[in-house]
Structures are given as C-alpha cells and as structure tokens.
Amino acid sequence: MVSTMFGFKAKGHSAIEPEDIAIIDPSAHIDPQTGAVIEKKTKAERLFVLRLDAILLVYVCISQVVKYLDQQNISAAYVSGMKEELSLYGNQYNYFTTWFNVGYAIFLIPSQIIITRVRPSIWLPCLEACWGVLTIAMYKVHNYKQVYILRAFIGCFEATCYPGAIMLLMSWYTPRELALRIGFYHSCQSVGNMLAGALQASIYKNLNNVNGISGWRWMMIIDGIITLVVSLAGFVLIPDFPTKVNPRAFWLRPKHVAIAIERTKQFKRADNKKFTLKSIKTALTGPLFYFFVVMYVASVLAQASYQYFNLWLKSLKNPDGTAVWSVAQVNAIPIGGGAITIATIWTWGFISDRFQTRWIPVVVQACIGIIPGIIMSIWNVSNGAKYFSYFVCYLSLATAPPIWAWLSDLNPFDAEQRAFTLGFAIAFYYACGAWSGPLIWPASIAPHYKFGWQVQIALWVLVIILACSLRYVELKHIRPKNRRIAEEKDAAAREAERESQVQANKDVDKKDVDVHRIASIQSA
C-alpha cells in the first residue's frame, strides 16, 4: 500500500518520477487529481477494506433501506386504503411529499453543521430514533393535516442521514473504492422502495383489519419499530472519522485506524473539521459548488417520473370497469423496476471506479432518460409502450454515486467544501421537490401528466450540458491546480522533515558535547 507524490520515494523503488514507477510496477496507477502513485494493496489493507465493507457499509446500507422505507411508505399506503380512509382528494397526496421536503430542506444544512461538531455516532442514531417514533405515530392519523405535520418533522429528522453517510464513506474509502460503495449505498433507496411495496402487499394480505387496524396503519407501526432497532445499532457501528474514532466502535483496532490515517494521507484527503464561515464563503465563490448543485438537482428531478408508476397502474381499468391490477399487484409490479435500478447502480459504480470516470455514467444515463420522456410526451401510444417507458426510467436512477465521487475527486483538499456542497445540493433538491411534485406531476390529473415528461427531457439535456462542461473545466483547470497544490504540500512536508532532521542532529551533537564535558569533569 503506497501512495507516492512527486519527489517522495516509493516503497521498493528509487526516487524517480511517478510515471517511471508505474512502468516498473505494472500494478501501480497514478491518481489523476494529485499525481499520487498507488501500488497494489497489501494484505492488511485488503482485510481492512473488507472490514469496512462488512460493518460500516452494511450498516449505512441498512439505515438507508429503513430511511427510504419510511420516506416512501406513504406511496404504498396511499394506494392501499389511505386515500379512501382519510377521504383524500386533489393534490393532497402530492402535498404529503411537499411537507416532507419542506422539513428536509429547512433542517438539512443546520444538521450538516451540527454533525461536524457532534459525533456522527451520536447525532445520526438520535435523529433516526426520532423519526422512527414519528413513523409509528403515523398509524394514529385521522386526517390529511395530521399527516402534513408528521411528514414535515419526519423530513427534518431524516435530513442528515443520506449526506451524513456519504461524508463517512468519503472519509474511509479511497477514490478507487468510493463510487462503487456509494453505489451500493445509493441502491438501497431502490431496496427500500421495493421493500415498501412488498411489505405493504404482505401486510395488506395478512394484517389488514387485524385488531381493527388497517393494513397501511400496520405498515407504519412495523416500519417505526424496525427504525428504532437500527438506530440503536448505530451508536456502536458508526466509526466517526479516521482521526477522531468513535470510542464505542469495538470493531476498529488501533492498527485499523493507523491504516485509515495512512490511506487518507496518501491520497491527500483533507481531515474533517468544524464548519466555519470561511469554508462556506470559499465554497460559494468557486465554480464547483454551482456545477454540482445544479447537476445533482436537475438529475434527481428528471428521475421523478418512476415514482408515479403505481398511480398509472392503479388507473388501469378493464372494459367492464374493474381494476386491471389488485392492490397487492399495484404495490408489487414496481419491484421489478427497483431490481433494474440496483443492477444499474452497481454496474455504473464498478465502471466509474475501475476506469476512474465519473462524467460518462452521468451522460449515458441522461441520454437513456430522454427516451421515455419522448415516448410518454406523445402519450397516445400502446400500454406496452407505457410499461416499457416506466421500466426504462429505472435505468437512469444511478447518477448520484458518480456525481458524489466526482465531487470528492475534484476537491480532495477541503472536506468542509465537500460537506457543504453535498448538503446544500441535497437541501436545494428537496426545496425544489417541495413544489415540483404538485406543479409538474399533479395527482389531480394522474395518470396523464401534460408537462411532466417534457420537463424531464429538458432537465436531462441540462445534465448533459453540465457534465460535459465540467469535464472540460476539470481537464483544463482543476486537475492542474490540484497537482500544483499537491506538489506544494509535498515540498512543505519535505522541508518540515528536513528541518526536523537538522534539529535532531543538533540535539544529538549537543548531547555528545554535554556527555564529553561531564566525562572530562569526572576524570579531572
């Protein structure tokens, strides 16, 4: 495990240029952002990464499944009796998401600031426990206003779960590992969505009206209990950061922490620090902030159409007026789309890390997303074409992992900027999502949305333009700047090491003189 910068001596190599080292060691590769030469991992490092995958990655993935289960169960509940039981009409279904997004957007940035001052191993589980309790409380609602209030507060408490986990992954994994791990984590949104449908279908079949409680209300109770259990595990499984490890994280030994710190130094990844006004100002005055915020928000808004698949399924009628699909089937059919998304996310994550490319996965998915937009804009097509379009939408839900890995790549020296950009982008998306649902995808006109599909096309075109533009800026300006900063840091480190050695030699010489003087006095 070696990461060598210009001027440093690589393990097992002489002090030659990194390109020459890579030729001598065919397994080595050069970090494109900093010029570091990375050799094949040692056995100790491979075992350490395996430990991270087995504990940290698995935990955040389970937490994300639970988060998305609690976030999306409102959709499954709506088509499983909530609409009729609460007498919902018009766009009230859209406003359930709107109020959730409002709470999410308002609390996310303050929560991102708090997580830099309070240990993630304390802050994240406490928030998760809070939204678990409120999810259980959802089973007692009797009107849409109560749903609005609870959804807003659930959104507040869920806000930091996603960006907080991404921060942790950025802190513990290297650029050659990051996109795939973020992909695994991000795919758990689809797992949560699939689980919401499958769980609601099973609950509706087995628990509907048991003890006088409707099936969708039972789902809220069960979801909340699962959330509370997962939150308790977070106090010991979340490791915090390499330089400030959770003392309750029993699964991390000192040797593991030493490896993590060495990996961070080798890739010149900045340590996580407290938010300051200076770090926020630095982020706001740089172009990366605007590129990533707009590109992320545009891509996620462009993906929203898949969320309305079950509403279209629910609207289908046989010639005699009966529903084509039962309640259980309406919840179960989109599960196939979720499986497609999971496979897509994992595939693009692997490609992104293996070939160190971030922009190509984003552009290709944007091109795919335009296809259903065109078909559904026509609308007067066969139901087969509409099924095809909705399932194709699931192929374009994997843009976030390469986007966040790209952010980490382009800004390796300032963890605060990464955290602020990440948090603001997600908060801005939820702020936009608070009104985009009722405006672009109003439930009152479901299943035919007059403008939603055309907006999807426009957003994907914007994503393509931004990704290609950022790629040009990266090659032309950002990479040279990052390499220059890395060289300056290396030069400063060498100078500090030289001064330290000179001082050590002086101390040794002084000690020898003192010993000689004492010996002379004693002999006299």
Side-chain angles (χ1 to χ4, degrees):
M1 177 186 67
V2 172
S3 174
T4 306
M5 305 300 300
F6 290 105
F8 275 80
K9 182 183 288 186
K11 181 179 178 181
H13 298 291
S14 59
I16 52 181
E17 291 298 312
E19 288 78 2
D20 296 328
I21 296 173
I23 293 173
I24 295 172
D25 183 1
S27 67
H29 66 274
I30 299 173
D31 179 34
Q33 298 299 328
T34 62
V37 175
I38 316 300
E39 291 182 354
K40 187 177 181 179
K41 294 175 183 172
T42 63
K43 181 180 179 180
E45 185 180 4
R46 291 197 302 272
L47 291 175
F48 170 67
V49 174
L50 183 62
R51 182 178 290 259
L52 286 178
D53 291 341
I55 300 179
L56 171 60
L57 183 61
V58 168
Y59 173 76
V60 296
C61 284
I62 293 174
S63 179
Q64 178 69 350
V65 169
V66 171
K67 172 188 179 298
Y68 218 69
L69 180 63
D70 294 340
Q71 181 175 336
Q72 293 298 319
N73 58 17
I74 199 72
S75 177
Y78 183 81
V79 298
S80 303
M82 173 187 269
K83 177 181 179 181
E84 294 76 15
E85 195 167 333
L86 299 186
S87 301
L88 302 176
Y89 64 92
N91 292 331
Q92 289 175 346
Y93 169 75
N94 295 104
Y95 293 135
F96 292 161
T97 301
T98 296
W99 281 101
F100 177 91
N101 290 352
V102 168
Y104 205 109
I106 290 175
F107 194 64
L108 195 150
I109 293 179
S111 188
Q112 278 291 90
I113 294 174
I114 293 173
I115 202 174
T116 66
R117 299 173 179 273
V118 178
R119 286 184 178 274
S121 57
I122 296 176
W123 185 240
L124 293 178
C126 287
L127 292 177
E128 191 163 6
C130 289
W131 92 62
V133 171
L134 293 181
T135 299
I136 295 174
M138 283 281 290
Y139 100 95
K140 293 292 290 183
V141 297
H142 297 290
N143 57 66
Y144 69 91
K145 292 181 180 179
Q146 294 173 341
V147 179
Y148 290 166
I149 294 172
L150 288 175
R151 290 283 290 175
F153 280 101
I154 290 174
C156 286
F157 294 127
E158 284 193 18
T160 299
C161 179
Y162 182 87
I166 298 295
M167 283 177 60
L168 291 172
L169 296 178
M170 286 181 176
S171 300
W172 290 91
Y173 288 102
T174 69
R176 298 283 293 186
E177 305 159 349
L178 186 59
L180 181 59
R181 270 68 181 189
I182 294 179
F184 278 120
Y185 174 68
H186 189 76
S187 68
C188 291
Q189 294 185 0
S190 297
V191 175
N193 198 30
M194 292 165 59
L195 187 59
L199 186 62
Q200 180 58 64
S202 177
I203 291 173
Y204 190 88
K205 180 180 179 180
N206 298 295
L207 291 178
N208 190 39
N209 291 325
V210 172
N211 294 328
I213 301 175
S214 304
W216 66 269
R217 295 182 186 272
W218 273 115
M219 184 173 68
M220 300 299 175
I221 296 172
I222 294 172
D223 287 355
I225 292 173
I226 294 173
T227 303
L228 290 175
V229 173
V230 173
S231 69
L232 293 176
F235 288 104
V236 295
L237 297 184
I238 295 176
D240 293 337
F241 304 114
T243 56
K244 190 180 180 182
V245 178
N246 176 10
R248 298 178 302 278
F250 62 91
W251 55 277
L252 279 177
R253 302 288 187 268
K255 63 180 181 180
H256 302 136
V257 178
I259 293 174
I261 293 175
E262 177 65 18
R263 280 156 52 95
T264 300
K265 291 180 178 178
Q266 290 168 346
F267 279 90
K268 300 299 179 185
R269 286 305 190 260
D271 193 15
N272 292 274
K273 301 176 183 177
K274 296 179 180 179
F275 266 113
T276 63
L277 291 176
K278 181 181 178 181
S279 60
I280 295 175
K281 181 180 178 181
T282 303
L284 292 175
T285 54
L288 290 182
F289 174 82
Y290 301 97
F291 268 114
F292 281 106
V293 168
V294 178
M295 182 164 56
Y296 173 75
V297 172
S299 66
V300 181
L301 289 177
Q303 298 164 355
S305 54
Y306 83 95
Q307 300 174 17
Y308 304 94
F309 189 16
N310 56 4
L311 295 186
W312 179 71
L313 293 171
K314 186 179 176 68
S315 72
L316 296 177
K317 304 294 182 182
N318 291 312
D320 61 357
T322 59
V324 172
W325 303 109
S326 66
V327 170
Q329 291 170 326
V330 168
N331 283 295
I333 290 174
I335 294 176
I340 293 172
T341 297
I342 292 171
T344 302
I345 292 174
W346 292 357
T347 300
W348 281 121
F350 173 80
I351 292 173
S352 181
D353 279 344
R354 177 66 178 82
F355 299 100
Q356 285 294 278
T357 178
R358 314 302 190 191
W359 72 288
I360 291 178
V362 175
V363 171
V364 172
Q365 290 179 79
C367 293
I368 293 173
I370 291 174
I371 296 173
I374 294 173
I375 295 174
M376 297 298 278
S377 293
I378 299 172
W379 187 250
N380 292 320
V381 295
S382 66
N383 281 346
K386 293 175 182 177
Y387 279 111
F388 170 80
S389 296
Y390 271 112
F391 278 111
V392 168
C393 289
Y394 289 94
L395 291 171
S396 59
L397 304 185
T399 55
I403 286 176
W404 298 139
W406 204 0
L407 170 63
S408 180
D409 289 349
L410 299 189
N411 196 354
F413 306 116
D414 195 328
E416 292 75 45
Q417 285 192 51
R418 294 199 303 265
F420 180 75
T421 302
L422 173 68
F424 189 92
I426 297 173
F428 189 54
Y429 158 67
Y430 276 95
C432 293
W435 55 264
S436 64
L439 185 63
I440 302 173
W441 307 96
S444 59
I445 64 172
H448 180 202
Y449 305 100
K450 296 180 180 179
F451 308 108
W453 298 102
Q454 293 91 328
V455 172
Q456 175 173 309
I457 295 172
L459 289 171
W460 281 129
V461 171
L462 176 60
V463 170
I464 293 172
I465 294 172
L466 289 171
C468 293
S469 300
L470 181 56
R471 175 62 174 175
Y472 172 80
V473 173
E474 174 189 0
L475 296 177
K476 190 72 173 178
H477 302 288
I478 298 175
R479 282 193 182 181
K481 178 183 177 182
N482 283 341
R483 290 212 175 193
R484 185 171 63 253
I485 294 174
E487 291 175 7
E488 292 172 355
K489 287 179 176 291
D490 289 341
R494 288 195 300 271
E495 179 63 23
E497 184 178 357
R498 187 189 67 80
E499 292 179 356
S500 177
Q501 186 62 43
V502 169
Q503 184 61 44
N505 291 338
K506 289 181 179 179
D507 292 341
V508 171
D509 292 341
K510 182 179 179 182
K511 183 178 180 180
D512 290 342
V513 171
D514 291 341
V515 170
H516 181 71
R517 182 181 299 113
I518 293 173
S520 298
I521 294 173
Q522 289 176 344
S523 62

